[in-house]
Amino acid sequence: MRPRRLVVLGDALLDRDIEGAAGRLCPDAPAPVLTETAAVDRPGGAALAAVLAAGFGYDVTLVAAFAADEAGERLHGLLDAAGVEVCALPLAGATPEKIRLRADGYVLLRLDRGGDGGVGPLAGGDLPAAAWDALRRAAAVLVSDYGRGMARLAPLRAAVAAQDGTPVVWDPHPHGAVAVPGARLATPNEAEVARLAGPAAAQGRLGAVAGAAAALRESWRCGSVAVTLGADGALLCHGGATPLVVPPPSGPAPAMVDTCGAGDCFAAAATAALADGALVSEAVQEAVCRATHFVAAGGVGTVRLSGSGPARWPAHAGVAADDVVAAVRGRGGTVVATGGCFDLVHAGHVATLETARRFGDCLVVCLNSDASVAALKGPGRPVVPAADRARLLQALECVDAVVVFDETTPHAVLRRLRPDVWVKGGDYFDGPADAPALPEAELVRSWGGQTVVVPYLAGRSTTAMITAVARRRTRLAERKGSA
């Protein structure tokens, strides 16, 4: 099945991070001297939103203005490496660049260049035929406004307004254009909605945000407004008197947070979800999860384009297992892992997980996917889908990360994570003395790891629980039949 096509329209930028060491001050000014050690170029603005959408597994067309300069050519090359189709409009001026000077992960200074010319004259006064063709094939449209003129372009606004029935997401900018009436969703952040709608009279943070969102929704005549609240998730105003607050998924917060690009990730994820037929509330929940993971994994610093096609971004939120393992190993800690289906998480599972966590400095749960559980347990299993099982496990204080695998054994994911301790729960010591060792034990031992078994909590079993429920339903049905 071909991926659905998303169209992103807006202002494309070239972002550059210059990394370095700042160990001394300038002799003629109270400013640090940055010794450059590395430089990374990335698509920015609407171009970043397009790259992220492509990484979610969609065909993406970006309609944006490009200058015929070195930065414009570099931006084209990065988008091509990400698998994004480009429909270029003329840019009357230099390609806008945002350059961040960073030391030890912190931004010292941002330097902006170009972007002062605006969109050039269009041939025939209309969007190119390729842009119209992409819009006709679009399952959803994202307008990524960075206040540089694209969203004010009359032909672009007419093309967006002509999207009858196609979901349109408008990611606004305080100095940009108002949304085209009829947009399905607008996605300002907290500061943007206050500037766009004006100060709200309600007291308290949520009241003020909800009031501003409702005012913006009414003035822009859009279906819904989702205000991103940073680490607190998002607030959705969708017509009713009571807003919907979507919190971020639970999990340990990263030690250092670079939120650059989180808004683009949120807007791209919401657009992708709407393209797949999600309700607006469902799309906002998916967007919060995607953006949370994006920030936790390192934000825009994780965007690496090498020409091999788009990077695939994880479908579910939570701190990535590889990042947790790398961080623990970096400080000399012990990595513990365990695995299983964890269908209908119960007290026995929790006891095993809490015990496993005591053996080291982090616990990674290797979780069988839905297909893997079905292959192991048979038809009708799992009862709970993998996304929900992963979320429940990640919510436990003793679990640091969850990784889902499709195979019937965890061997492949174990080779990747190489835990120091592999923990299994079960009754392995109740069998004969010559019973075979755990199937993972030899693999874990190959890199110097240790396998241990912890006993199950007596009387707790997912299969027993399911069987008991089935018997109870059968007895109730028999009683109703005989009544």
PDB file of all heavy atoms in Angstrom, residues 211-251:
ATOM      1  N   GLY A 211      -9.060  30.729  27.106  1.00  0.00           N
ATOM      2  CA  GLY A 211      -9.762  31.913  26.612  1.00  0.00           C
ATOM      3  C   GLY A 211      -9.161  32.441  25.331  1.00  0.00           C
ATOM      4  O   GLY A 211      -9.874  32.808  24.380  1.00  0.00           O
ATOM      5  N   ALA A 212      -7.822  32.485  25.269  1.00  0.00           N
ATOM      6  CA  ALA A 212      -7.159  32.963  24.058  1.00  0.00           C
ATOM      7  C   ALA A 212      -7.400  32.008  22.892  1.00  0.00           C
ATOM      8  O   ALA A 212      -7.613  32.442  21.749  1.00  0.00           O
ATOM      9  CB  ALA A 212      -5.661  33.111  24.315  1.00  0.00           C
ATOM     10  N   ALA A 213      -7.378  30.695  23.159  1.00  0.00           N
ATOM     11  CA  ALA A 213      -7.611  29.716  22.101  1.00  0.00           C
ATOM     12  C   ALA A 213      -9.026  29.835  21.545  1.00  0.00           C
ATOM     13  O   ALA A 213      -9.242  29.767  20.327  1.00  0.00           O
ATOM     14  CB  ALA A 213      -7.370  28.306  22.634  1.00  0.00           C
ATOM     15  N   ALA A 214     -10.001  30.023  22.434  1.00  0.00           N
ATOM     16  CA  ALA A 214     -11.385  30.173  21.974  1.00  0.00           C
ATOM     17  C   ALA A 214     -11.555  31.437  21.144  1.00  0.00           C
ATOM     18  O   ALA A 214     -12.253  31.441  20.118  1.00  0.00           O
ATOM     19  CB  ALA A 214     -12.327  30.194  23.182  1.00  0.00           C
ATOM     20  N   ALA A 215     -10.902  32.529  21.567  1.00  0.00           N
ATOM     21  CA  ALA A 215     -10.981  33.779  20.814  1.00  0.00           C
ATOM     22  C   ALA A 215     -10.334  33.633  19.444  1.00  0.00           C
ATOM     23  O   ALA A 215     -10.862  34.130  18.435  1.00  0.00           O
ATOM     24  CB  ALA A 215     -10.312  34.903  21.605  1.00  0.00           C
ATOM     25  N   LEU A 216      -9.199  32.951  19.388  1.00  0.00           N
ATOM     26  CA  LEU A 216      -8.522  32.757  18.111  1.00  0.00           C
ATOM     27  C   LEU A 216      -9.348  31.865  17.190  1.00  0.00           C
ATOM     28  O   LEU A 216      -9.464  32.141  15.984  1.00  0.00           O
ATOM     29  CB  LEU A 216      -7.143  32.124  18.343  1.00  0.00           C
ATOM     30  CG  LEU A 216      -6.248  32.018  17.112  1.00  0.00           C
ATOM     31  CD1 LEU A 216      -5.883  33.403  16.588  1.00  0.00           C
ATOM     32  CD2 LEU A 216      -4.994  31.215  17.422  1.00  0.00           C
ATOM     33  N   ARG A 217      -9.939  30.831  17.737  1.00  0.00           N
ATOM     34  CA  ARG A 217     -10.773  29.937  16.933  1.00  0.00           C
ATOM     35  C   ARG A 217     -11.941  30.693  16.315  1.00  0.00           C
ATOM     36  O   ARG A 217     -12.277  30.508  15.136  1.00  0.00           O
ATOM     37  CB  ARG A 217     -11.282  28.794  17.811  1.00  0.00           C
ATOM     38  CG  ARG A 217     -12.239  27.845  17.106  1.00  0.00           C
ATOM     39  CD  ARG A 217     -12.691  26.721  18.032  1.00  0.00           C
ATOM     40  NE  ARG A 217     -13.698  25.914  17.372  1.00  0.00           N
ATOM     41  CZ  ARG A 217     -14.994  26.166  17.391  1.00  0.00           C
ATOM     42  NH1 ARG A 217     -15.454  27.223  18.080  1.00  0.00           N
ATOM     43  NH2 ARG A 217     -15.847  25.398  16.753  1.00  0.00           N
ATOM     44  N   GLU A 218     -12.547  31.579  17.095  1.00  0.00           N
ATOM     45  CA  GLU A 218     -13.699  32.335  16.588  1.00  0.00           C
ATOM     46  C   GLU A 218     -13.270  33.356  15.541  1.00  0.00           C
ATOM     47  O   GLU A 218     -13.906  33.480  14.488  1.00  0.00           O
ATOM     48  CB  GLU A 218     -14.401  33.036  17.754  1.00  0.00           C
ATOM     49  CG  GLU A 218     -15.661  33.789  17.330  1.00  0.00           C
ATOM     50  CD  GLU A 218     -16.379  34.402  18.515  1.00  0.00           C
ATOM     51  OE1 GLU A 218     -16.019  34.093  19.671  1.00  0.00           O
ATOM     52  OE2 GLU A 218     -17.311  35.206  18.285  1.00  0.00           O
ATOM     53  N   SER A 219     -12.180  34.083  15.798  1.00  0.00           N
ATOM     54  CA  SER A 219     -11.767  35.126  14.857  1.00  0.00           C
ATOM     55  C   SER A 219     -11.221  34.538  13.564  1.00  0.00           C
ATOM     56  O   SER A 219     -11.386  35.121  12.483  1.00  0.00           O
ATOM     57  CB  SER A 219     -10.724  36.038  15.498  1.00  0.00           C
ATOM     58  OG  SER A 219      -9.534  35.322  15.777  1.00  0.00           O
ATOM     59  N   TRP A 220     -10.566  33.381  13.654  1.00  0.00           N
ATOM     60  CA  TRP A 220     -10.010  32.760  12.447  1.00  0.00           C
ATOM     61  C   TRP A 220     -11.002  31.832  11.753  1.00  0.00           C
ATOM     62  O   TRP A 220     -10.743  31.357  10.657  1.00  0.00           O
ATOM     63  CB  TRP A 220      -8.752  31.971  12.820  1.00  0.00           C
ATOM     64  CG  TRP A 220      -7.531  32.844  12.902  1.00  0.00           C
ATOM     65  CD1 TRP A 220      -7.481  34.198  12.874  1.00  0.00           C
ATOM     66  CD2 TRP A 220      -6.175  32.399  13.042  1.00  0.00           C
ATOM     67  NE1 TRP A 220      -6.193  34.641  12.974  1.00  0.00           N
ATOM     68  CE2 TRP A 220      -5.363  33.548  13.081  1.00  0.00           C
ATOM     69  CE3 TRP A 220      -5.573  31.161  13.135  1.00  0.00           C
ATOM     70  CZ2 TRP A 220      -3.977  33.490  13.205  1.00  0.00           C
ATOM     71  CZ3 TRP A 220      -4.206  31.093  13.261  1.00  0.00           C
ATOM     72  CH2 TRP A 220      -3.413  32.241  13.290  1.00  0.00           C
ATOM     73  N   ARG A 221     -12.109  31.537  12.404  1.00  0.00           N
ATOM     74  CA  ARG A 221     -13.129  30.647  11.850  1.00  0.00           C
ATOM     75  C   ARG A 221     -12.533  29.289  11.445  1.00  0.00           C
ATOM     76  O   ARG A 221     -12.778  28.768  10.357  1.00  0.00           O
ATOM     77  CB  ARG A 221     -13.828  31.290  10.651  1.00  0.00           C
ATOM     78  CG  ARG A 221     -14.730  32.463  11.031  1.00  0.00           C
ATOM     79  CD  ARG A 221     -15.433  33.028   9.818  1.00  0.00           C
ATOM     80  NE  ARG A 221     -14.514  33.754   8.966  1.00  0.00           N
ATOM     81  CZ  ARG A 221     -14.746  34.051   7.692  1.00  0.00           C
ATOM     82  NH1 ARG A 221     -15.880  33.663   7.121  1.00  0.00           N
ATOM     83  NH2 ARG A 221     -13.872  34.725   6.973  1.00  0.00           N
ATOM     84  N   CYS A 222     -11.720  28.747  12.364  1.00  0.00           N
ATOM     85  CA  CYS A 222     -11.149  27.419  12.127  1.00  0.00           C
ATOM     86  C   CYS A 222     -11.839  26.403  13.024  1.00  0.00           C
ATOM     87  O   CYS A 222     -12.510  26.768  14.001  1.00  0.00           O
ATOM     88  CB  CYS A 222      -9.645  27.419  12.358  1.00  0.00           C
ATOM     89  SG  CYS A 222      -9.134  27.945  13.999  1.00  0.00           S
ATOM     90  N   GLY A 223     -11.685  25.134  12.700  1.00  0.00           N
ATOM     91  CA  GLY A 223     -12.395  24.103  13.435  1.00  0.00           C
ATOM     92  C   GLY A 223     -11.948  23.969  14.875  1.00  0.00           C
ATOM     93  O   GLY A 223     -12.777  23.888  15.787  1.00  0.00           O
ATOM     94  N   SER A 224     -10.640  23.953  15.104  1.00  0.00           N
ATOM     95  CA  SER A 224     -10.094  23.754  16.437  1.00  0.00           C
ATOM     96  C   SER A 224      -8.767  24.486  16.565  1.00  0.00           C
ATOM     97  O   SER A 224      -8.101  24.771  15.567  1.00  0.00           O
ATOM     98  CB  SER A 224      -9.869  22.255  16.718  1.00  0.00           C
ATOM     99  OG  SER A 224     -11.059  21.511  16.580  1.00  0.00           O
ATOM    100  N   VAL A 225      -8.392  24.768  17.802  1.00  0.00           N
ATOM    101  CA  VAL A 225      -7.085  25.355  18.102  1.00  0.00           C
ATOM    102  C   VAL A 225      -6.431  24.505  19.178  1.00  0.00           C
ATOM    103  O   VAL A 225      -7.004  24.298  20.248  1.00  0.00           O
ATOM    104  CB  VAL A 225      -7.209  26.812  18.588  1.00  0.00           C
ATOM    105  CG1 VAL A 225      -5.845  27.332  19.051  1.00  0.00           C
ATOM    106  CG2 VAL A 225      -7.770  27.700  17.491  1.00  0.00           C
ATOM    107  N   ALA A 226      -5.247  23.983  18.874  1.00  0.00           N
ATOM    108  CA  ALA A 226      -4.461  23.218  19.845  1.00  0.00           C
ATOM    109  C   ALA A 226      -3.259  24.058  20.235  1.00  0.00           C
ATOM    110  O   ALA A 226      -2.413  24.369  19.400  1.00  0.00           O
ATOM    111  CB  ALA A 226      -4.022  21.885  19.266  1.00  0.00           C
ATOM    112  N   VAL A 227      -3.198  24.451  21.503  1.00  0.00           N
ATOM    113  CA  VAL A 227      -2.105  25.283  21.993  1.00  0.00           C
ATOM    114  C   VAL A 227      -1.071  24.375  22.654  1.00  0.00           C
ATOM    115  O   VAL A 227      -1.388  23.655  23.606  1.00  0.00           O
ATOM    116  CB  VAL A 227      -2.603  26.320  23.014  1.00  0.00           C
ATOM    117  CG1 VAL A 227      -1.460  27.226  23.459  1.00  0.00           C
ATOM    118  CG2 VAL A 227      -3.742  27.146  22.418  1.00  0.00           C
ATOM    119  N   THR A 228       0.152  24.387  22.143  1.00  0.00           N
ATOM    120  CA  THR A 228       1.196  23.575  22.757  1.00  0.00           C
ATOM    121  C   THR A 228       1.714  24.264  24.008  1.00  0.00           C
ATOM    122  O   THR A 228       1.950  25.472  24.031  1.00  0.00           O
ATOM    123  CB  THR A 228       2.343  23.314  21.776  1.00  0.00           C
ATOM    124  OG1 THR A 228       2.843  24.567  21.283  1.00  0.00           O
ATOM    125  CG2 THR A 228       1.851  22.489  20.592  1.00  0.00           C
ATOM    126  N   LEU A 229       1.887  23.454  25.073  1.00  0.00           N
ATOM    127  CA  LEU A 229       2.252  23.972  26.391  1.00  0.00           C
ATOM    128  C   LEU A 229       3.626  23.491  26.837  1.00  0.00           C
ATOM    129  O   LEU A 229       3.892  23.372  28.036  1.00  0.00           O
ATOM    130  CB  LEU A 229       1.196  23.546  27.424  1.00  0.00           C
ATOM    131  CG  LEU A 229      -0.256  23.950  27.123  1.00  0.00           C
ATOM    132  CD1 LEU A 229      -1.197  23.330  28.149  1.00  0.00           C
ATOM    133  CD2 LEU A 229      -0.397  25.468  27.107  1.00  0.00           C
ATOM    134  N   GLY A 230       4.499  23.210  25.904  1.00  0.00           N
ATOM    135  CA  GLY A 230       5.830  22.745  26.253  1.00  0.00           C
ATOM    136  C   GLY A 230       5.775  21.409  26.958  1.00  0.00           C
ATOM    137  O   GLY A 230       5.121  20.462  26.499  1.00  0.00           O
ATOM    138  N   ALA A 231       6.430  21.317  28.103  1.00  0.00           N
ATOM    139  CA  ALA A 231       6.508  20.059  28.845  1.00  0.00           C
ATOM    140  C   ALA A 231       5.164  19.629  29.427  1.00  0.00           C
ATOM    141  O   ALA A 231       5.033  18.504  29.915  1.00  0.00           O
ATOM    142  CB  ALA A 231       7.527  20.189  29.975  1.00  0.00           C
ATOM    143  N   ASP A 232       4.151  20.497  29.367  1.00  0.00           N
ATOM    144  CA  ASP A 232       2.836  20.171  29.920  1.00  0.00           C
ATOM    145  C   ASP A 232       1.852  19.653  28.879  1.00  0.00           C
ATOM    146  O   ASP A 232       0.665  19.493  29.167  1.00  0.00           O
ATOM    147  CB  ASP A 232       2.239  21.391  30.627  1.00  0.00           C
ATOM    148  CG  ASP A 232       3.053  21.792  31.844  1.00  0.00           C
ATOM    149  OD1 ASP A 232       3.483  20.886  32.578  1.00  0.00           O
ATOM    150  OD2 ASP A 232       3.289  22.995  32.049  1.00  0.00           O
ATOM    151  N   GLY A 233       2.311  19.413  27.642  1.00  0.00           N
ATOM    152  CA  GLY A 233       1.432  18.836  26.631  1.00  0.00           C
ATOM    153  C   GLY A 233       0.755  19.877  25.771  1.00  0.00           C
ATOM    154  O   GLY A 233       1.401  20.769  25.223  1.00  0.00           O
ATOM    155  N   ALA A 234      -0.572  19.789  25.651  1.00  0.00           N
ATOM    156  CA  ALA A 234      -1.315  20.713  24.791  1.00  0.00           C
ATOM    157  C   ALA A 234      -2.734  20.887  25.315  1.00  0.00           C
ATOM    158  O   ALA A 234      -3.273  20.020  26.012  1.00  0.00           O
ATOM    159  CB  ALA A 234      -1.351  20.205  23.347  1.00  0.00           C
ATOM    160  N   LEU A 235      -3.323  22.023  24.968  1.00  0.00           N
ATOM    161  CA  LEU A 235      -4.729  22.307  25.287  1.00  0.00           C
ATOM    162  C   LEU A 235      -5.483  22.461  23.987  1.00  0.00           C
ATOM    163  O   LEU A 235      -5.077  23.238  23.116  1.00  0.00           O
ATOM    164  CB  LEU A 235      -4.849  23.565  26.135  1.00  0.00           C
ATOM    165  CG  LEU A 235      -6.264  23.987  26.542  1.00  0.00           C
ATOM    166  CD1 LEU A 235      -6.258  24.618  27.935  1.00  0.00           C
ATOM    167  CD2 LEU A 235      -6.867  24.979  25.541  1.00  0.00           C
ATOM    168  N   LEU A 236      -6.582  21.706  23.831  1.00  0.00           N
ATOM    169  CA  LEU A 236      -7.380  21.723  22.601  1.00  0.00           C
ATOM    170  C   LEU A 236      -8.707  22.412  22.848  1.00  0.00           C
ATOM    171  O   LEU A 236      -9.494  21.978  23.694  1.00  0.00           O
ATOM    172  CB  LEU A 236      -7.609  20.295  22.106  1.00  0.00           C
ATOM    173  CG  LEU A 236      -8.527  20.143  20.887  1.00  0.00           C
ATOM    174  CD1 LEU A 236      -7.933  20.832  19.662  1.00  0.00           C
ATOM    175  CD2 LEU A 236      -8.806  18.677  20.599  1.00  0.00           C
ATOM    176  N   CYS A 237      -8.952  23.489  22.105  1.00  0.00           N
ATOM    177  CA  CYS A 237     -10.242  24.175  22.111  1.00  0.00           C
ATOM    178  C   CYS A 237     -10.959  23.785  20.821  1.00  0.00           C
ATOM    179  O   CYS A 237     -10.500  24.116  19.726  1.00  0.00           O
ATOM    180  CB  CYS A 237     -10.026  25.688  22.176  1.00  0.00           C
ATOM    181  SG  CYS A 237     -11.549  26.647  22.001  1.00  0.00           S
ATOM    182  N   HIS A 238     -12.070  23.058  20.952  1.00  0.00           N
ATOM    183  CA  HIS A 238     -12.735  22.536  19.755  1.00  0.00           C
ATOM    184  C   HIS A 238     -14.243  22.757  19.761  1.00  0.00           C
ATOM    185  O   HIS A 238     -15.002  21.926  19.298  1.00  0.00           O
ATOM    186  CB  HIS A 238     -12.419  21.059  19.569  1.00  0.00           C
ATOM    187  CG  HIS A 238     -12.750  20.201  20.758  1.00  0.00           C
ATOM    188  ND1 HIS A 238     -12.598  20.599  22.050  1.00  0.00           N
ATOM    189  CD2 HIS A 238     -13.230  18.936  20.828  1.00  0.00           C
ATOM    190  CE1 HIS A 238     -12.961  19.629  22.870  1.00  0.00           C
ATOM    191  NE2 HIS A 238     -13.354  18.617  22.155  1.00  0.00           N
ATOM    192  N   GLY A 239     -14.655  23.882  20.287  1.00  0.00           N
ATOM    193  CA  GLY A 239     -16.052  24.257  20.145  1.00  0.00           C
ATOM    194  C   GLY A 239     -16.871  24.126  21.406  1.00  0.00           C
ATOM    195  O   GLY A 239     -17.779  24.909  21.634  1.00  0.00           O
ATOM    196  N   GLY A 240     -16.573  23.144  22.242  1.00  0.00           N
ATOM    197  CA  GLY A 240     -17.323  23.003  23.483  1.00  0.00           C
ATOM    198  C   GLY A 240     -16.862  24.007  24.519  1.00  0.00           C
ATOM    199  O   GLY A 240     -15.855  24.698  24.362  1.00  0.00           O
ATOM    200  N   ALA A 241     -17.598  24.088  25.610  1.00  0.00           N
ATOM    201  CA  ALA A 241     -17.256  25.046  26.663  1.00  0.00           C
ATOM    202  C   ALA A 241     -16.024  24.605  27.444  1.00  0.00           C
ATOM    203  O   ALA A 241     -15.335  25.430  28.041  1.00  0.00           O
ATOM    204  CB  ALA A 241     -18.446  25.205  27.616  1.00  0.00           C
ATOM    205  N   THR A 242     -15.760  23.307  27.443  1.00  0.00           N
ATOM    206  CA  THR A 242     -14.653  22.768  28.231  1.00  0.00           C
ATOM    207  C   THR A 242     -13.528  22.315  27.310  1.00  0.00           C
ATOM    208  O   THR A 242     -13.748  21.467  26.442  1.00  0.00           O
ATOM    209  CB  THR A 242     -15.119  21.580  29.087  1.00  0.00           C
ATOM    210  OG1 THR A 242     -16.231  21.989  29.895  1.00  0.00           O
ATOM    211  CG2 THR A 242     -13.988  21.084  29.984  1.00  0.00           C
ATOM    212  N   PRO A 243     -12.334  22.864  27.476  1.00  0.00           N
ATOM    213  CA  PRO A 243     -11.218  22.440  26.618  1.00  0.00           C
ATOM    214  C   PRO A 243     -10.708  21.057  27.022  1.00  0.00           C
ATOM    215  O   PRO A 243     -10.943  20.591  28.138  1.00  0.00           O
ATOM    216  CB  PRO A 243     -10.157  23.509  26.870  1.00  0.00           C
ATOM    217  CG  PRO A 243     -10.430  23.978  28.256  1.00  0.00           C
ATOM    218  CD  PRO A 243     -11.923  23.902  28.430  1.00  0.00           C
ATOM    219  N   LEU A 244     -10.002  20.420  26.103  1.00  0.00           N
ATOM    220  CA  LEU A 244      -9.367  19.135  26.359  1.00  0.00           C
ATOM    221  C   LEU A 244      -7.888  19.381  26.602  1.00  0.00           C
ATOM    222  O   LEU A 244      -7.204  19.978  25.771  1.00  0.00           O
ATOM    223  CB  LEU A 244      -9.545  18.195  25.158  1.00  0.00           C
ATOM    224  CG  LEU A 244      -8.785  16.866  25.205  1.00  0.00           C
ATOM    225  CD1 LEU A 244      -9.373  15.957  26.280  1.00  0.00           C
ATOM    226  CD2 LEU A 244      -8.816  16.175  23.842  1.00  0.00           C
ATOM    227  N   VAL A 245      -7.379  18.941  27.751  1.00  0.00           N
ATOM    228  CA  VAL A 245      -5.954  19.057  28.053  1.00  0.00           C
ATOM    229  C   VAL A 245      -5.308  17.695  27.826  1.00  0.00           C
ATOM    230  O   VAL A 245      -5.741  16.693  28.402  1.00  0.00           O
ATOM    231  CB  VAL A 245      -5.706  19.531  29.496  1.00  0.00           C
ATOM    232  CG1 VAL A 245      -4.211  19.525  29.803  1.00  0.00           C
ATOM    233  CG2 VAL A 245      -6.281  20.926  29.695  1.00  0.00           C
ATOM    234  N   VAL A 246      -4.301  17.653  26.969  1.00  0.00           N
ATOM    235  CA  VAL A 246      -3.607  16.407  26.634  1.00  0.00           C
ATOM    236  C   VAL A 246      -2.222  16.446  27.274  1.00  0.00           C
ATOM    237  O   VAL A 246      -1.354  17.201  26.822  1.00  0.00           O
ATOM    238  CB  VAL A 246      -3.486  16.228  25.112  1.00  0.00           C
ATOM    239  CG1 VAL A 246      -2.752  14.927  24.791  1.00  0.00           C
ATOM    240  CG2 VAL A 246      -4.862  16.249  24.453  1.00  0.00           C
ATOM    241  N   PRO A 247      -1.997  15.672  28.323  1.00  0.00           N
ATOM    242  CA  PRO A 247      -0.676  15.685  28.970  1.00  0.00           C
ATOM    243  C   PRO A 247       0.331  14.876  28.167  1.00  0.00           C
ATOM    244  O   PRO A 247      -0.052  14.030  27.350  1.00  0.00           O
ATOM    245  CB  PRO A 247      -0.956  15.022  30.323  1.00  0.00           C
ATOM    246  CG  PRO A 247      -2.074  14.061  30.021  1.00  0.00           C
ATOM    247  CD  PRO A 247      -2.932  14.733  28.976  1.00  0.00           C
ATOM    248  N   PRO A 248       1.611  15.102  28.396  1.00  0.00           N
ATOM    249  CA  PRO A 248       2.620  14.275  27.731  1.00  0.00           C
ATOM    250  C   PRO A 248       2.637  12.888  28.336  1.00  0.00           C
ATOM    251  O   PRO A 248       2.197  12.693  29.471  1.00  0.00           O
ATOM    252  CB  PRO A 248       3.934  15.016  28.010  1.00  0.00           C
ATOM    253  CG  PRO A 248       3.675  15.734  29.291  1.00  0.00           C
ATOM    254  CD  PRO A 248       2.226  16.116  29.271  1.00  0.00           C
ATOM    255  N   PRO A 249       3.129  11.896  27.602  1.00  0.00           N
ATOM    256  CA  PRO A 249       3.247  10.555  28.186  1.00  0.00           C
ATOM    257  C   PRO A 249       4.241  10.567  29.331  1.00  0.00           C
ATOM    258  O   PRO A 249       5.184  11.363  29.340  1.00  0.00           O
ATOM    259  CB  PRO A 249       3.751   9.696  27.018  1.00  0.00           C
ATOM    260  CG  PRO A 249       4.412  10.667  26.099  1.00  0.00           C
ATOM    261  CD  PRO A 249       3.636  11.945  26.228  1.00  0.00           C
ATOM    262  N   SER A 250       3.999   9.710  30.298  1.00  0.00           N
ATOM    263  CA  SER A 250       4.878   9.676  31.456  1.00  0.00           C
ATOM    264  C   SER A 250       6.210   9.050  31.090  1.00  0.00           C
ATOM    265  O   SER A 250       6.333   8.319  30.112  1.00  0.00           O
ATOM    266  CB  SER A 250       4.226   8.884  32.589  1.00  0.00           C
ATOM    267  OG  SER A 250       3.958   7.555  32.162  1.00  0.00           O
ATOM    268  N   GLY A 251       7.195   9.350  31.887  1.00  0.00           N
ATOM    269  CA  GLY A 251       8.536   8.820  31.662  1.00  0.00           C
ATOM    270  C   GLY A 251       9.548   9.793  32.215  1.00  0.00           C
ATOM    271  O   GLY A 251       9.240  10.969  32.433  1.00  0.00           O
TER     272      GLY A 251
END
